[in-house]
Amino acid sequence: MLVYNLEAYLPAFARDYIHEKLNLVRVWLIENGMLADNPTKGGGETRLVTAAREALETAKSDFTSKTASLEEQEKDLAKDYGPKDIFRALKGRCVSTDVGEYEYQLCWMDRTMQKSKKGHGDTTMGNYVRIDTDTADEEDRADGKGLGKGKRMVLRYENGNGCWNGPNRRTDVWLACAEKDELWRVSESEKCVYRMEVGTPAACEDVNEPGAKNKDEL
Ligand code: MAN
């Protein structure tokens, strides 16, 4: 049949779609007495049964993929995106800076990375877990690129690549209000425990804490 040949030339998603629709047409034709319900080759199964079985399989795989996507979205909803979900907008974006032999990278709500510029590969310094607040106590800097003093949001990235003879790497990402996203500084406070200082407009609004800078003070 011409349509069967046609199916073979279609991309997979279109083929499945057309196949499913043809099945429905076939069932309708059989049910309305316009197409004989002969057993298909070999199996002795009637076309109606074959069509019904295929329709069930399609529905089952549709159900599986929709369930998986639902679970993924539920997990995402349970994730902490901060006050007013403000970090949701930053998801999927990264900022980086060069320090010595490495490029350090922060990917918002994802992970922190230490990338070798000498081709020694990438190291994950932690995967995003949650938002905390902590107190910063630093002198103001002339260029404004510093944490200053007061309550600041700290994003915790944990369970990164294992440290030689030690625990898994982790990163505390300290945030301060700034006009644009920028990774100001990276340090290793103790072996495989990293600290990033980051400026971002996402830290300008509502930290719910007195002492936090807001946009008007910039
Ligand atoms: C690499 C880097 C360093 C880290 C050591 C630990 O050299 O990831 O930051 O201190 O490994 O062995």
Side-chain angles (χ1 to χ4, degrees):
M1 205 168 147
L2 178 69
V3 230
Y4 285 124
N5 294 338
L6 173 72
E7 274 185 46
Y9 293 98
L10 294 170
F13 74 92
R15 191 161 53 225
D16 292 347
Y17 179 82
I18 301 279
H19 189 80
E20 197 188 323
K21 296 297 164 207
L22 277 175
N23 243 343
L24 292 175
V25 173
R26 203 178 307 132
V27 169
W28 187 87
L29 289 172
I30 292 168
E31 282 177 342
N32 290 278
M34 284 174 239
L35 192 69
D37 194 8
N38 296 327
T40 45
K41 280 177 266 158
E45 192 175 70
T46 67
R47 282 179 192 279
L48 204 53
V49 171
T50 308
R53 187 168 41 72
E54 284 181 7
L56 177 65
E57 272 156 24
T58 310
K60 269 188 195 159
S61 90
D62 194 33
F63 177 75
T64 309
S65 75
K66 286 204 163 91
T67 307
S69 125
L70 177 67
E71 274 169 19
E72 204 174 290
Q73 291 185 28
E74 274 171 349
K75 244 190 240 164
D76 188 62
L77 279 174
K79 227 174 173 182
D80 185 2
Y81 282 108
K84 295 183 191 160
D85 260 9
I86 200 158
F87 293 105
R88 196 176 279 282
L90 292 173
K91 197 182 161 193
R93 280 167 36 190
C94 306
V95 280
S96 54
T97 189
D98 281 6
V99 182
E101 59 174 300
Y102 299 109
E103 179 199 348
Y104 288 92
Q105 190 175 51
L106 158 70
C107 291
W108 296 103
M109 320 329 270
D110 183 15
R111 61 182 176 165
T112 50
M113 302 275 285
Q114 184 185 52
K115 299 173 163 188
S116 168
K117 290 196 282 187
K118 294 181 176 167
H120 298 315
D122 297 351
T123 304
T124 299
M125 297 154 59
N127 297 287
Y128 173 68
V129 189
R130 66 175 184 281
I131 302 178
D132 282 343
T133 51
D134 208 339
T135 310
D137 185 14
E138 291 185 12
E139 296 306 319
D140 283 337
R141 290 171 187 257
D143 61 4
K145 297 181 176 182
L147 298 175
K149 292 181 172 34
K151 292 271 186 205
R152 300 289 178 260
M153 283 190 275
V154 183
L155 309 180
R156 308 282 185 202
Y157 287 69
E158 292 172 3
N159 208 20
N161 286 147
C163 192
W164 175 253
N165 275 340
N168 289 346
R169 287 174 173 78
R170 63 180 190 84
T171 314
D172 290 333
V173 179
W174 286 73
L175 304 182
C177 172
E179 268 173 54
K180 58 176 180 149
D181 292 338
E182 201 175 4
L183 179 45
W184 289 330
R185 239 160 269 112
V186 184
S187 52
E188 198 169 341
S189 42
E190 55 187 275
K191 207 171 188 193
C192 294
V193 178
Y194 304 88
R195 171 189 167 103
M196 288 181 168
E197 293 169 40
V198 180
T200 174
C204 298
E205 314 236 1
D206 184 20
V207 194
N208 281 327
E209 305 287 349
K213 271 196 284 183
N214 60 46
K215 257 187 197 135
D216 307 332
E217 296 169 35
L218 270 180

